[in-house]
Structures are given as C-alpha cells and as structure tokens.
Amino acid sequence: MDKLVIEGGSRLSGTIRVSGSKNACLPILAATLLTGDECNISNSPDLRDVSTMLEILSSLGRRAVRSGDSIKVSSGEADSHTALYELVSTMRASIVVLGPLLAKYGEAKVSFPGGCVIGPRPIDLHLKGLRAIGADISIKEGYIIARAKKLRGAQVYLGGHFGSSVLATANTLMAAVLADGKTVIENAACEPEIVDLAGFLTAMGAVIDGAGTPTVTVSGVKKLKGADYRIIPDRIEVGTYMIAAVLTGGDLFLEEARIEHNLALLDKLKETGGVVREKENGIRVYREREVIRATDITTNTYPGFPTDLQAQMMSLMIGADGISVITEKIYPDRFIHISEMNRMGAGIRLEGSTAIIKGNGTLSGAPVMASDLRASAALVLAGLVAEGQTEISRIYHLDRGYEHIEDKLSAVGAKIWREKEQ
Ligand code: EPZ
C-alpha cells in the first residue's frame, strides 16, 4: 500500500487544473446502461471509483474503454442484469445502476450496499422512488431484486430524515426516463451533479424539466440513443484546493472551477479572510490577512454547505483566531477525522454532531491514517501547515476521489510525495 509524506510550511501558489466531477461521472456512466448505442463521456477523472464503475459496466456486458480523459461505452455481447457483491461492496455508489437496469431490462439484481465510516447509508428513498413508478422490489440473500413489466409515471416525494438524497434522485430519474407517462419527483436533490446527469439524459433524448430544483418532471420516452457528453468540473476537489489556498496563506488559480457550484463555501472562506476573484476560466483564491478568522458551519443539502467539505474546513479552523463550531446535518457521525487531527495537536471536541474547534492551534506532523475520502483530504491539508513531517497511510481512500493529488499540490509548491508503505 502507498502512503503520502508531507513536509509542512509551504505557501501554495500557482494554477491547478481541476478534474471532472467524480459524483457526476458515476451516475452518468450508469446512465449509459439505458441505451445499446455508443456513448463517449469526456473530462472523466482517472479515479478508483470511476474504474470500479467501469468494471461494473463490463460485468453487465458493456464494453467500457478509457482513452485519456474520455470513456467510450458500447454494448457488449450478453447483457447481464446483476451487479455483483464483490464490486458493489467496494463502492456504495454502485447502487446507482439499479434504476437504469430496471428501466432498460425490466429487471435488476444489485447487491445491497454496505455502510461506511461516515455512517449508515440507507437506500429506503431509492426503493421508494422505484416502487412509486411500478417496480416490484424484494431483498434476498443480500441482493435487491427489482422487477417491472412496465414502469409507469407517478408523483413521488423523495425527502427523507436528512432531506433530499442525491443518488436516490438519480436512480429514480434514470428509471423514469423510460417509464410510460409523466413522473414528478418532489424534494429532488438540487446538486450540480443531478443537473449534469439530466443534461446527459437529455442529450440521449430524455424529456426532463426542473433539474437542479426540488421539483423535477420527466416525460417518459420509448427509447434513448447514445450521446457524447463532457462532465462538469469537480466542485469538491475545487473546494478542497480553495481551502488549501486560504489555509497556507497562498494564492491559487483553479482552472475550470465554476463559482456557482461553490457559493456556500466561498461565503465562508470570505468570512475567514479569504479573497475570491472570478476569472475567465476559473477562480482565484488567496488570503490577504495574516490571521484566519473563526467561523461557524452547518452542513446541508445543496445549495447549503456541502458535507463533503466539512472535514477540510475543520483543518482550516484549527489555526483560526478563536472558537469555531461545525455542525454536521447530513451524516451526523462524519467526524472520524477529529481523532487524527487531535493527534497532530488540534484541540477539537465533539458534542453529538457538533464539533467545537478551539482555534489558535499549531499542528505538528505525525503519522496518521486515512479513513474515508474527504477525511483523508482534510489530513493532507493539515499536513500542509503542520510543523515537520506528516505521513498519511492507507491513501487508497484518497485515490478514490482525488486525481493525482500529490502532483497537483507539488506543482504549486507543496512538499508532498508518495512512498510505498513498509
Ligand atoms: C452523494 O451520496 C455523494 N456521493 C456523497 O459524496 C455525498 O456526501 C452525499 O451525496 C451528500 O451530498 C455520490 O454522489 C457518489 P445522499 P448519496 O443519498 O447520494 C440519507 C464523496 O465523498 N439517505 O444524498 O449516497 C443518508 O443517510 C461522497 O464523494 C436516506 O436516509 O448521499 C444521508 O444522511 C461521500 N435514505 C442523506 O440522506 C436514502 O435512501 C444524504 O445522503 C438515501 C440517503
């Protein structure tokens, strides 16, 4: 296994070209199951999770071939409708093949996804959406078995205990595009990745209104054709590097970043003393003040503050000039990074799903362990400003969602490199 080694103390300065969005790419690759025609998906990030989705497509009988940042998906010999436990268990987002398989073949068998370190990952809203449009769903031997002679449009409310669900919206949307009649999804997720998925489905011939708003209307069509499509930039990668710029007192230009995808974060970064400048083809972020100001954050569904940037903001708050409070409303247990940060000298206390960050902390480098994708990114940020050397083990978590992170950071002045773990 690999580890990342970071020598803290560098101010980051220069340009980082942002990769395509992992969380747009995964459902869009799943949506290629809705047609037997060839699809070309460009700006696809070279990540472990994307490779896992390509393996799943191949196991379902598709030919999925990457060439640079473009992935060509075409129909293969036999079409299977079973997404196997061995693959689904490595990536929870695999659940998003359920809707397209059901819509295209009238049946689907997908291994029940496990939970993960950020908390239980229920799928009740996915099943509610598919049942609403006529799917007969049972759970057998750890598999979800879905069948439907014909899916029929319906109205369905997809709000759960924690609000809307991104992938439940995606699954229901992808099933509805081939259903008979009109489907209205209420309390749909509004994330940019849903808008991107709807853009791809529309390019395939689907009829969708309201993507990006809480009410999405789909008029079912008989058939979808292949399409070429370019994935949006990864707003969570963008946010991670924006925070790095403010944290290190640096000055970064994030090429291809879109200001409208990160308004909640930018609002908070300005509060902490960051300066944000929208440019022709990206965003410049730097810090003018010597001191980082403390702030309070509550995560929420889009356009609220993204849970996927919660851990990274915590790294920023450790050195802020006072007490900061971070409340996690989407995954109440998503605080596994606190123990590792405290090992580096942070002063963070957890009260339920609210973290209190003492501030005015100076971090010292230490051997730490990556646990989940975004917590790992937060440890990289902490290592960038810690005194001395930080070693992050189990960075396969990081490789799931950040394309060439050490190369991108080294190119703007970070002292970071990858080593084999002994
Ligand atoms: C997507 O996961 C993202 N993953 C996650 O990013 C992200 O954290 C999450 O949305 C929230 O923004 C992908 O897009 C591949 P949810 P998803 O369904 O769709 C509850 C990353 O780091 N819920 O929006 O699985 C759930 O427990 C990953 O890139 C139900 O109750 O998340 C959570 O509390 C991590 N019932 C809340 O809703 C359901 O049926 C939001 O989850 C489904 C979800």
Side-chain angles (χ1 to χ4, degrees):
M1 285 198 275
D2 291 352
K3 65 184 175 183
L4 277 183
V5 184
I6 306 168
E7 197 64 53
S10 309
R11 283 177 182 240
L12 304 186
S13 174
T15 296
I16 293 181
R17 189 188 170 289
V18 176
S19 302
S21 164
K22 165 178 85 78
N23 291 350
C25 189
L26 295 175
I28 285 172
L29 285 173
T32 63
L33 292 164
L34 289 163
T35 180
D37 297 351
E38 181 180 295
C39 296
N40 290 287
I41 314 297
S42 58
N43 203 29
S44 294
D46 186 5
L47 299 168
R48 268 166 46 95
D49 276 6
V50 173
S51 306
T52 301
M53 183 56 83
L54 297 184
E55 283 177 61
I56 290 171
L57 292 180
S58 302
S59 73
L60 295 169
R62 286 296 189 281
R63 260 196 301 277
V65 180
R66 173 184 283 278
S67 155
D69 78 1
S70 187
I71 295 173
K72 180 165 74 177
V73 183
S74 49
S75 51
E77 293 67 46
D79 284 315
S80 151
H81 318 135
T82 300
L84 297 169
Y85 171 76
E86 293 74 17
L87 287 167
V88 174
S89 58
T90 64
M91 180 180 70
R92 211 197 139 278
S94 318
I95 186 69
V96 81
V97 301
L98 184 61
L101 282 175
L102 181 64
K104 184 77 170 61
Y105 302 107
E107 60 177 301
K109 187 177 170 190
V110 178
S111 170
F112 209 102
C116 62
V117 288
I118 65 178
R121 306 293 294 273
I123 59 164
D124 55 302
L125 296 173
H126 297 244
L127 305 187
K128 178 180 182 183
L130 298 179
R131 281 185 173 121
I133 56 177
D136 168 50
I137 293 179
S138 56
I139 312 286
K140 275 201 195 90
E141 295 154 15
Y143 278 84
I144 302 152
I145 297 159
R147 286 198 180 81
K149 280 197 186 50
K150 188 67 199 148
L151 293 171
R152 302 204 179 295
Q155 175 142 9
V156 60
Y157 179 81
L158 281 190
H161 181 60
F162 298 94
S164 55
S165 160
V166 176
L167 291 185
T169 302
N171 249 333
T172 306
L173 180 57
M174 287 191 279
V177 292
L178 290 180
D180 258 352
K182 186 165 101 167
T183 297
V184 180
I185 305 173
E186 303 287 359
N187 205 335
C190 303
E191 274 71 1
E193 294 76 27
I194 291 293
V195 176
D196 217 26
L197 171 62
F200 176 57
L201 292 168
T202 303
M204 296 171 83
V207 179
I208 302 169
D209 287 310
T213 77
T215 302
V216 178
T217 303
V218 185
S219 302
V221 294
K222 290 270 175 277
K223 199 171 171 338
L224 292 176
K225 60 187 189 317
D228 296 350
Y229 197 75
R230 180 175 169 77
I231 303 279
I232 53 170
D234 191 314
R235 64 190 170 96
I236 304 302
E237 185 193 26
V238 167
T240 303
Y241 293 134
M242 284 180 179
I243 293 168
V246 177
L247 177 62
T248 61
D251 186 338
L252 290 178
F253 176 65
L254 299 166
E255 193 180 336
E256 296 224 5
R258 294 192 197 165
I259 206 123
E260 69 274 16
H261 288 172
N262 274 304
L263 296 177
L265 171 67
L266 294 175
D267 180 54
K268 285 297 169 186
L269 286 183
K270 288 175 196 163
E271 259 185 48
T272 65
V275 179
V276 177
R277 293 275 180 271
E278 187 175 11
K279 299 283 180 190
E280 177 72 21
N281 178 31
I283 305 172
R284 180 190 170 201
V285 180
Y286 60 97
R287 169 155 61 94
E288 253 168 357
R289 306 168 80 246
E290 254 320 289
V291 174
I292 295 165
R293 281 195 290 261
T295 186
D296 293 348
I297 284 162
T298 298
T299 64
N300 215 318
T301 53
Y302 192 89
F305 191 93
T307 175
D308 290 352
L309 288 171
Q310 179 256 103
Q312 299 89 317
M313 274 307 276
M314 194 175 286
S315 296
L316 179 63
M317 293 296 97
I318 292 167
D321 64 349
I323 293 173
S324 300
V325 176
I326 296 182
T327 302
E328 174 58 67
K329 290 272 191 196
I330 304 297
Y331 297 110
D333 302 331
R334 192 176 197 171
F335 289 110
I336 196 161
H337 40 285
I338 289 179
S339 51
E340 296 304 287
M341 290 174 176
N342 283 340
R343 292 189 63 244
M344 296 174 72
I348 306 168
R349 192 162 49 87
L350 190 56
E351 296 284 340
S353 58
T354 295
I356 295 124
I357 302 102
K358 206 165 59 177
N360 297 305
T362 45
L363 291 172
S364 59
V368 290
M369 194 179 290
S371 52
D372 89 278
L373 170 54
R374 307 304 175 182
S376 316
L379 292 175
V380 171
L381 296 181
L384 291 174
V385 290
E387 281 159 21
Q389 206 166 78
T390 298
E391 290 195 359
I392 304 175
S393 59
R394 300 189 181 183
I395 55 163
Y396 54 85
H397 291 289
L398 206 53
D399 294 335
R400 294 186 53 179
Y402 287 89
E403 194 178 42
H404 313 318
I405 186 166
E406 70 271 29
D407 301 336
K408 291 187 176 185
L409 287 173
S410 306
V412 291
K415 294 190 185 65
I416 178 173
W417 61 94
R418 191 180 284 250
E419 284 183 5
K420 284 278 169 238
E421 279 206 285
Q422 305 310 332

